[in-house]
């Protein structure tokens, strides 16, 4: 009797652990999906009830892919962004002038041409030239840093990171000198995280030359408290992912790393919050041994067990990685959950694109076609 029960359980288990996503990349139609999608954000930009996609495209026009009830994403000739061919790296979405419509900001790297777009509703997007000064940037985040009800902007840069405070009408005043630590690293990503559970957002900076923890001392005034609180090293980080890996109520950090010609290869990292706002490196005991360049990752409960799993986007023409969480923050590879879509991926996002109640995936390719994976 025990043997029969075991056979039934294993059979059921094999069904559950098959592919749970379908490759529906034929549902996305845009020039941008065949180029270099450096970043992806999603929001309902036209208030039609369907999520749209905003792509930051390197050295080509950035794009909006409009969602629809048939589950397909298309560009719209009458509502397009400018034909600028800038070195766009990241995008932020927020209602900066509080008119009820979500606006767009793109951060640029080599040519330093950052873009700002008003959302005019049915009249489309209007580009405002020279909204920000020139500086080399890889990341931009929108957040109400000074807690006045208006969305501000922070850019992660080569050299000094910079913060711009919004007056509520999308007039931005730079307050870098009085609000941010002075430093000259190369920042690839900036993540909002309340590390000490005090109700305001601290920052973790993913740098090419040593990551940092900046603590918010109220209303967006930050101090560098990396030493003694956050693991330091010479790894080259591309993305910082915030999650509660071990379900203890404190925010942990997954670090996406790449190899660099100037540095030894470094695997991805998992840093667990000790419950006092400091972090412990648990990578050797909690992560599988993978020596792949990881450019991005998303948090998603793939097997619906209530635990936060990860999907990793890699360069190197390899399959994205699925890391399943055992509920205690220990992860194992389970790549059979995704269809075969090997490639060079530099960005990834998760959302319920087809409105069936499950989280889907969008992978942004780097000279690899973008992919749309819908949950069955």
């Amino acid at each position: 009797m025990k043997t029969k029960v075991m056979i039934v359980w294993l059979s059921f288990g094999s069904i559950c652990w098959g592919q749970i996503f379908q490759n529906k990349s034929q549902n996305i139609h845009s020039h941008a999906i065949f180029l270099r999608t450096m970043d992806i954000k999603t929001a309902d930009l036209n208030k039609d009830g369907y999520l749209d996609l905003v792509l930051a495209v390197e050295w080509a026009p950035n794009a909006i892919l409009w969602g629809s009830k048939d589950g397909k994403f298309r560009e719209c000739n009458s509502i397009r962004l400018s034909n600028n061919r800038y070195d766009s790296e990241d995008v932020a979405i927020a209602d900066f002038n509080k008119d009820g419509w979500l606006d767009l900001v793109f951060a640029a790297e080599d040519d330093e041409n950052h873009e700002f777009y008003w959302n005019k509703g049915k009249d489309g997007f209007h580009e405002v030239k020279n909204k920000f000064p020139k500086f080399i940037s890889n990341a931009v985040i929108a957040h109400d840093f000074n807690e006045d009800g208006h969305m501000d902007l922070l850019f992660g840069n080569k050299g000094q990171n910079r913060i711009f405070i919004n007056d509520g009408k999308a007039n931005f005043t730079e307050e870098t000198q009085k609000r941010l630590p002075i430093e000259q690293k190369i920042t690839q990503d900036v993540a909002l995280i309340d590390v000490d559970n005090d109700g305001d957002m601290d920052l973790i900076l993913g740098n090419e030359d040593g990551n940092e923890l900046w603590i918010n001392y109220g209303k967006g005034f930050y101090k560098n408290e990396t030493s003694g609180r956050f693991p330091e090293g010479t790894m080259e980080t591309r993305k910082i992912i915030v999650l509660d890996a071990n379900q203890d109520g404190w925010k942990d950090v997954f670090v996406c790393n790449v190899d660099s010609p100037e540095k030894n290869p470094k695997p991805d990292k998992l840093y667990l919050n000790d419950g006092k706002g400091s972090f412990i490196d648990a990578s050797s005991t909690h992560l599988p041994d993978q020596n792949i360049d990881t450019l991005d990752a998303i948090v998603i409960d793939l097997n619906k067990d209530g635990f936060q799993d990860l999907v990793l986007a890699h360069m190197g023409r390899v399959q994205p990685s699925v890391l399943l969480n055992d509920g205690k923050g220990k992860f194992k590879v389970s790549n059979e959950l995704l269809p075969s879509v090997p490639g060079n991926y530099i960005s990834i996002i998760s959302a319920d694109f087809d409105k069936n109640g499950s989280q889907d995936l969008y992978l942004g390719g780097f000279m690899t076609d973008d992919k749309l994976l819908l949950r069955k």
Side-chain angles (χ1 to χ4, degrees), residues 68-114:
S68 62
K69 63 182 179 181
D70 61 5
K72 296 181 179 180
F73 292 89
R74 305 176 180 88
E75 286 188 285
C76 177
N77 289 331
S78 62
I79 308 178
R80 301 174 71 95
L81 303 178
S82 299
N83 288 322
N84 303 324
R85 296 177 179 272
Y86 297 151
D87 187 18
S88 299
E89 298 288 327
D90 202 6
V91 58
I93 302 176
D95 181 5
F96 294 106
N97 60 347
K98 306 193 79 170
D99 64 352
W101 296 93
L102 295 170
D103 311 304
L104 306 176
V105 176
F106 293 90
E109 188 180 17
D110 291 341
D111 61 5
E112 307 178 40
N113 289 313
H114 317 299

Side-chain angles (χ1 to χ4, degrees), residues 155-258:
F155 289 83
N157 302 331
K158 179 180 180 180
Q160 180 62 47
N161 296 323
R162 300 170 78 160
I163 190 170
F164 295 85
I165 300 301
N166 182 5
D167 69 354
K169 299 179 181 179
N171 298 310
F172 294 92
T173 301
E174 183 171 3
E175 296 189 5
T176 299
Q177 192 169 20
K178 67 180 181 179
R179 290 182 177 272
L180 301 185
I182 303 302
E183 44 89 316
Q184 295 296 318
K185 292 181 178 289
I186 302 175
T187 297
Q188 288 285 345
D189 191 34
V190 180
L192 295 164
I193 174 174
D194 185 2
V195 304
D196 45 13
N197 280 354
D198 66 352
D200 55 28
M201 284 297 172
D202 310 301
L203 299 172
I204 295 180
L205 281 68
N207 299 324
E208 291 189 14
D209 40 8
N211 300 326
E212 295 176 299
L213 169 62
W214 291 3
I215 295 297
N216 189 343
Y217 277 83
K219 298 187 182 297
F221 291 90
Y222 288 91
K223 181 180 178 181
N224 187 341
E225 296 195 3
T226 306
S227 180
R229 297 187 67 172
F230 197 77
E232 300 180 68
T234 58
M235 68 201 74
E236 183 171 336
T237 294
R238 291 307 175 99
K239 286 289 183 178
I240 298 291
I241 308 302
V242 177
L243 73 165
D244 184 2
N246 54 2
Q247 298 196 112
D248 65 352
W250 294 84
K251 295 300 184 182
D252 310 307
V253 174
F254 180 84
V255 182
C256 303
N257 292 326
V258 301

